[in-house]
């Protein structure tokens, strides 16, 4: 926006922005800034920028010689700084002109590369809580520079005037806001103090707050960042960083990881969460830029797999977005993300090498995050794969423990397949790992890279059935009639029926049926139904020999021995349907409508038969 004055405009006269200021403020509040509270951050950023410029102008000034003072008493909010100050030309340049040409904007950005923000649009954020902004400034660049007053109002008008020589404040800038009646939530003294601590606790220049009650101003950033302090021992440093992490995030870290990237001036800590988090859930991280809090929800600072930590960092070279509430995605951020990922890998490697107790506690809580990392990181795979827990037929145990007990490790392709076979495979002495969870099957297949003596194979239903003992020929012949009726009853489900003996004897039947086999049968059925049409030709070309499911009855089970002796055809059919339904439910896979109907019908038929028999 460009002011509508000319060179002949007399000093002190009103000038008007050539935009709808209220509309612009509404745009800022609804689309740029997350909350009106950012007004104080913008004022503090401008003050810190001014201090940075003054130290550049006076490099010999002692540290802490210049600072920022905040004041709020309920009727006004004031921010004073001892910075470089503004000349009248600066006032017109930064406070009254927004949206200039891109070439000129780039020049300003270059000049202000050491600063956090820029005046202009940042100062406009104050209109989110105030109807009037008053700026009084005097430049430190020229000893006899006059003080300049700028007063902007919510109706879009502003005035600029040069104060007489008799009014000669110290160099620096004072910004005073007159809060609107509906902005008390953000301008009360206690809230201003809380916001100042929230945004500025890590600032490198001294900042104080005064609530107007007559006491001395209280420090906002009394101590430097915890990673910038010195400690008597490494243990004291570790405890201090953990205490800071607990204060910031509200949990006691399992461990803290120091982050230090000198190339971009980044320092901070990563706090390892003590408990597991849902897969894929990403926590926001606290990112400060040159000490000023930029964002509490900066997910982009770490890769997706690092959801087991929360970070608080302070950086020099990261680029904020226009709202200065998140980070701009550029090559620098990508390089920082990769470097921080390397620091997390280094921490895991150190824990694996020197602190097995910490590693065990970490993996108990965050094995899924480590598995997602190990899939793509060979170094982590080699270090941690043997230590990762998996669900197996021996219970939950590490892959190293399981491989020592089972020379051949079988892995299922789905959770339901593991549920189907776990009890039977365990009784048969087979070592089976549940590969149905995310990453597990892929990782188990990479075990021979770490343990060359181990053999890994996908579980084939034929492998399992081969470990089930056949019944003797006499028993097979006696059950032939029943088995024929059972196959006829279950033909609807493309299910064969066999009689075997296996442990545990309490299991009456085992349903062996993979997801891939069910999909192939469904495709074959569709091809038959669409025979002759375009889709029928396509499905027919894809069709393979449809593998059948198999219901294996356990001759050791008393119920099965009674069932195969049934002579009544309908009762035999109903008992076979009931055994199939029970085995299908034990597999814990979703039931098809026809299977649900079969289970209900067989139950009612058996109940009716029992009632008839009793009567």
């Amino acid at each position: 926006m460009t002011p509508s004055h000319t060179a002949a405009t007399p000093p002190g006269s009103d000038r008007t922005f050539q935009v709808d200021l209220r509309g612009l403020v509404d745009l800022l509040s609804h689309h740029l800034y997350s909350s009106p509270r950012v007004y104080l951050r913008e004022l503090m950023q401008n003050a810190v920028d001014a201090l940075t410029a003054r130290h550049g102008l006076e490099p010999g000034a002692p540290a802490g010689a210049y600072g920022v003072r905040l004041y709020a008493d309920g009727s006004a909010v004031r921010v004073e700084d001892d910075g470089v100050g503004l000349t009248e030309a600066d006032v017109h340049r930064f406070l009254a002109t927004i949206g200039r040409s891109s070439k000129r904007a780039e020049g300003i950005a270059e000049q202000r590369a050491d600063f956090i923000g820029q005046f202009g649009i940042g100062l406009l954020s104050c209109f989110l809580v105030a109807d009037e902004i008053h700026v009084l400034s005097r430049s430190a660049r020229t000893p006899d520079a006059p003080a300049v007053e700028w007063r902007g109002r919510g109706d879009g008008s502003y005035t600029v005037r040069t104060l007489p020589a008799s009014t000669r404040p110290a160099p620096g800038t004072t910004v005073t806001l007159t809060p609107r009646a509906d902005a008390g939530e953000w301008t009360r003294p206690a809230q201003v103090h809380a916001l100042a601590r929230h945004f500025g606790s890590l600032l490198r220049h001294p900042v104080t707050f005064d609530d107007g009650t007559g006491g001395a101003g209280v420090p906002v950033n009394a101590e430097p960042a915890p990673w910038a302090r010195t400690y008597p021992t490494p243990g004291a440093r570790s405890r201090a960083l953990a205490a800071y992490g607990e204060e910031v995030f509200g949990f006691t870290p399992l461990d803290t990881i120091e982050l230090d990237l000198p190339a971009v001036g980044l320092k901070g800590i990563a706090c390892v969460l003590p408990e597991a988090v849902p897969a894929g859930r990403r926590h926001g991280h606290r990112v400060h830029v040159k000490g000023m809090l930029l964002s509490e929800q900066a997910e982009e600072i770490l890769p997706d797999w690092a959801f087991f930590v929360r970070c608080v960092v302070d950086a020099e070279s990261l680029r904020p977005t226009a709202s200065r509430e998140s980070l701009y995605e550029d090559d620098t951020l990508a390089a920082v993300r990769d470097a921080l990922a390397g620091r997390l890998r280094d921490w895991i490697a150190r824990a694996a090498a020197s602190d097995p107790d910490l590693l065990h506690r970490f993996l108990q809580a965050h094995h899924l995050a480590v598995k997602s990392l190990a899939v793509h990181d060979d170094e982590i795979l080699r270090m941690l794969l043997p230590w990762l827990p998996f669900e197996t037929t021996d219970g939950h145990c590490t892959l190293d423990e399981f491989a020592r007990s089972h020379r051949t490790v079988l892995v299922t392709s789905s959770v339901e397949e593991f549920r189907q076979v776990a009890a039977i495979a365990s009784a048969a002495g087979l070592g089976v790992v549940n590969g149905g969870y995310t990453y597990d099957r892929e990782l188990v297949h990479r075990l021979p890279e770490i343990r060359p003596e181990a053999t890994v194979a996908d579980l084939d239903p034929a492998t399992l059935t081969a470990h089930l003992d056949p019944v003797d020929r006499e028993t097979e012949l006696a059950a032939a009639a029943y088995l024929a009726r059972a196959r006829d009853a279950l033909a609807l489900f493309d299910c064969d029926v066999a009689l075997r003996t296996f442990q545990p004897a309490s299991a009456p039947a085992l349903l062996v049926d993979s997801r891939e086999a069910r999909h192939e049968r469904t495709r074959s059925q569709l091809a038959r139904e669409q025979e002759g049409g375009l889709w029928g030709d396509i499905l027919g070309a894809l069709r393979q020999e449809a593998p059948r499911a198999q219901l294996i009855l356990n001759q050791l089970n008393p119920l099965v021995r009674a069932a195969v002796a049934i002579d009544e055809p309908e009762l035999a059919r109903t008992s076979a349907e009931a055994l199939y339904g029970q085995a299908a439910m034990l597999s814990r896979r979703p039931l098809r409508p026809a299977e649900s109907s079969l289970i209900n019908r067989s139950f009612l038929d058996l109940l009716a038969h029992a009632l008839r028999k009793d009567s």
Side-chain angles (χ1 to χ4, degrees):
M1 76 189 84
T2 303
S4 60
H5 69 284
T6 66
T9 305
S13 62
D14 281 4
R15 300 170 173 88
T16 306
F17 297 100
Q18 292 182 348
V19 297
D20 177 1
L21 182 58
R22 291 192 181 280
L24 178 58
V25 171
D26 182 70
L27 181 67
L28 295 179
S29 64
H30 288 93
H31 300 286
L32 187 63
Y33 295 122
S34 61
S35 164
R37 69 178 184 167
V38 299
Y39 83 93
L40 190 66
R41 183 196 64 196
E42 297 295 329
L43 290 178
M44 293 173 68
Q45 283 184 348
N46 288 337
V48 171
D49 285 349
L51 292 175
T52 301
R54 181 138 189 206
H55 278 284
L57 186 67
E58 303 173 17
Y66 305 129
V68 180
R69 295 167 297 281
L70 308 179
Y71 174 92
D73 64 357
S75 61
V77 175
R78 187 168 69 245
V79 179
E80 302 174 355
D81 69 69
D82 302 316
V84 72
L86 300 173
T87 64
E88 183 177 9
D90 292 334
V91 167
H92 289 298
R93 187 181 187 189
F94 295 121
L95 304 189
T97 308
I98 299 172
R100 64 188 70 220
S101 70
S102 59
K103 183 176 180 181
R104 193 171 182 190
E106 290 170 2
I108 293 173
E110 291 173 2
Q111 295 171 25
R112 300 172 64 81
D114 292 333
F115 302 160
I116 301 172
Q118 297 180 14
F119 253 103
I121 197 167
L123 191 66
L124 283 185
S125 67
C126 296
F127 283 119
L128 299 174
V129 299
D131 277 329
E132 183 171 293
I133 304 171
H134 176 260
V135 178
L136 178 64
S137 186
R138 178 168 169 257
S139 176
R141 298 183 186 278
T142 307
D144 59 350
V148 182
E149 180 188 69
W150 180 92
R151 192 181 298 272
R153 291 170 287 275
D155 61 6
S157 64
Y158 70 94
T159 59
V160 178
R161 70 187 182 104
T162 301
L163 299 184
S166 58
T167 306
R168 184 71 60 91
T173 301
T174 299
V175 180
T176 305
L177 308 183
T178 304
R180 293 200 311 269
D182 60 353
E185 176 184 359
W186 307 110
T187 57
R188 290 193 301 268
Q191 180 69 298
V192 172
H193 187 205
L195 291 177
R197 287 189 54 81
H198 179 73
F199 290 120
S201 62
L202 299 185
L203 287 173
R204 292 84 181 266
H205 302 287
V207 182
T208 60
F209 172 77
D210 183 355
D211 63 3
T213 58
V218 296
V220 168
N221 52 343
E223 295 181 297
W227 48 82
R229 305 172 203 166
T230 57
Y231 300 90
T233 64
R237 182 179 184 85
S238 178
R239 288 189 294 272
L241 294 179
Y244 180 74
E246 184 171 4
E247 176 187 346
V248 171
F249 295 122
F251 63 83
T252 302
L254 185 66
D255 197 15
T256 56
I257 308 166
E258 286 207 56
L259 307 174
D260 187 2
L261 304 178
V264 292
L266 182 146
K267 290 181 179 290
I269 57 172
C271 297
V272 182
L273 290 156
E275 297 178 348
V277 294
R281 177 180 173 185
R282 299 185 67 187
H283 285 290
H285 308 288
R286 290 176 65 95
V287 174
H288 299 251
V289 175
K290 299 180 178 70
M292 184 69 73
L293 179 64
L294 180 78
S295 174
E296 298 173 271
Q297 299 297 324
E299 296 180 354
E300 62 275 14
I301 196 73
L302 287 180
D304 291 348
W305 55 260
F307 53 82
F308 57 88
V309 296
R310 294 193 69 182
C311 293
V312 52
V313 299
D314 185 19
E316 294 285 339
S317 302
L318 294 179
R319 180 181 170 192
T321 59
S323 66
R324 295 195 284 280
E325 295 187 302
S326 59
L327 294 171
Y328 188 84
E329 189 69 45
D330 57 10
D331 291 343
T332 301
L333 178 59
V336 166
R337 184 164 48 238
D338 290 343
L340 292 180
R343 299 296 187 274
L344 298 184
R345 290 188 184 95
D346 292 344
W347 175 83
I348 294 174
R350 286 195 302 273
S354 61
D355 197 338
D357 179 63
L358 175 61
L359 179 68
H360 176 70
R361 289 184 286 124
F362 170 66
L363 291 179
Q364 271 191 320
H366 301 296
H367 58 271
L368 183 58
V370 176
K371 286 178 180 180
S372 68
L373 176 58
V375 167
H376 307 290
D377 192 307
D378 291 343
E379 183 180 356
I380 294 296
L381 179 79
R382 287 191 296 272
M383 286 190 301
L384 296 184
L385 180 59
W387 303 98
L388 291 173
F390 290 81
E391 184 180 9
T392 75
T393 46
D394 292 351
H396 283 82
C397 61
T398 67
L399 206 53
D400 192 56
E401 293 171 336
F402 192 70
R404 285 200 297 266
S405 302
H406 302 278
R407 190 66 176 267
T408 298
V409 176
L410 302 173
V411 59
T412 65
S413 59
S414 67
V415 173
E416 65 189 54
E417 186 179 5
F418 180 80
R419 298 284 186 262
Q420 290 174 13
V421 306
I424 312 302
S426 178
L430 296 176
V432 182
V433 178
N434 185 352
Y437 296 117
T438 306
Y439 312 118
D440 282 15
R441 183 166 175 262
E442 183 177 354
L443 288 173
V444 172
H445 271 287
R446 297 189 66 179
L447 178 63
E449 299 176 28
I450 315 301
R451 297 284 185 270
E453 68 278 8
T455 302
V456 177
D458 286 327
L459 177 66
D460 185 341
T463 303
L464 181 64
T465 55
H467 283 75
L468 305 182
D469 295 328
V471 296
D472 59 71
R473 183 170 181 77
E474 183 179 345
T475 302
E476 183 83 30
L477 289 174
Y482 179 85
L483 295 177
R485 293 187 182 105
R487 293 185 185 107
D488 182 64
L490 302 179
L492 172 66
F493 304 107
D494 287 319
C495 184
D496 194 10
V497 184
L499 186 64
R500 298 285 189 274
T501 63
F502 54 86
Q503 295 292 338
S506 58
L510 168 66
L511 180 61
V512 180
D513 188 18
S514 69
R515 183 183 303 175
E516 291 76 11
R518 292 198 301 276
H519 288 174
E520 181 58 37
R521 291 198 299 274
T522 301
R523 187 162 56 237
S524 298
Q525 182 180 354
L526 287 173
R528 289 193 298 270
E529 293 173 355
Q530 299 286 340
E531 189 171 355
L534 174 61
W535 286 109
D537 294 340
I538 294 174
L539 293 171
L542 296 174
R543 182 169 56 197
Q544 305 172 5
E545 171 122 9
R548 305 190 74 190
Q550 192 172 34
L551 180 67
I552 303 175
L553 304 180
N554 187 3
Q555 175 65 17
L556 298 180
N557 183 270
L559 179 62
V560 170
R561 289 200 300 271
V564 298
I566 296 174
D567 293 327
E568 185 180 340
E570 284 303 316
L571 181 58
R573 182 185 184 92
T574 299
S575 67
E577 291 175 340
L579 288 168
Y580 175 89
Q582 191 255 3
M585 287 191 295
L586 286 178
S587 71
R588 302 186 188 180
R589 64 168 170 80
L591 296 176
R592 290 172 286 179
E595 290 173 329
S596 298
S597 176
L598 174 140
I599 292 171
N600 291 332
R601 185 178 67 251
S602 62
F603 171 75
L604 293 174
D605 288 349
L606 288 175
L607 182 61
H609 176 81
L611 292 175
R612 286 197 303 271
K613 184 178 179 180
D614 290 342
S615 61

